[in-house]
Amino acid sequence: MSDYTIRVTTHRPYAEAVAAVREQLAEVGFGVLAEIDLAATLEAKLDVDVAPQVILGACRPQLAHQALQAEPSIAALLPCNVVVRSVDDTTTVVEAFDPAVMTSFVGEPSDALRAVSEDARTRLTTALTALEDGAH
């Protein structure tokens, strides 16, 4: 496990997990702005096979706007990346970049930026926790 992601494992097939992640993100006010099919990209560019996985660029516009007002350069860390990765036919890992970590990239983060990162972290943690086994 990393110190820079929020991670859960669910015993759902990959496609079902991707749909559930989208649903849970919407439940906490995040939309998906971008989607990168990592497995397909690596297959096309490098002719290598990796487990099915997708990077979802999740955004809550209100939080993004507040973060940009507090620290314009924080745009380089937006949107919040959420990765859905197949482990096997019935197990999927879901990881999100921990928004609390973004404040570590700013010398002296403002209270406004800390508040945004805490709000985003709470929302993402809620979404991911809802995916854990027994929560569905």
Side-chain angles (χ1 to χ4, degrees):
M1 263 209 247
S2 71
D3 292 338
Y4 54 90
T5 64
I6 303 163
R7 177 186 173 142
V8 297
T9 300
T10 184
H11 292 315
R12 301 176 194 218
Y14 172 75
E16 181 183 322
V18 172
V21 168
R22 288 177 174 283
E23 182 179 307
Q24 290 305 315
L25 287 171
E27 286 288 322
V28 296
F30 279 83
V32 175
L33 298 178
E35 180 174 331
I36 301 167
D37 183 334
L38 199 51
T41 300
L42 293 176
E43 171 67 27
K45 301 290 183 183
L46 301 176
D47 195 28
V48 296
D49 289 322
V50 297
Q53 55 191 300
V54 64
I55 302 170
L56 303 174
C59 180
R60 178 165 169 82
Q62 300 90 330
L63 292 178
H65 183 245
Q66 291 169 7
L68 291 170
Q69 287 181 312
E71 178 61 46
S73 295
I74 210 75
L77 299 175
L78 299 177
C80 295
N81 284 324
V82 179
V83 177
V84 184
R85 179 177 55 255
S86 176
V87 175
D88 58 37
D89 291 342
T90 61
T91 306
T92 304
V93 169
V94 182
E95 287 185 286
F97 179 74
D98 186 345
V101 173
M102 87 174 157
T103 60
S104 70
F105 294 110
V106 178
E108 261 316 301
S110 66
D111 290 342
L113 186 60
R114 277 194 199 93
V116 169
S117 70
E118 289 170 15
D119 187 343
R121 185 178 203 285
T122 298
R123 290 172 186 275
L124 289 171
T125 299
T126 298
L128 270 61
T129 300
L131 299 166
E132 286 185 298
D133 293 328
H136 57 108

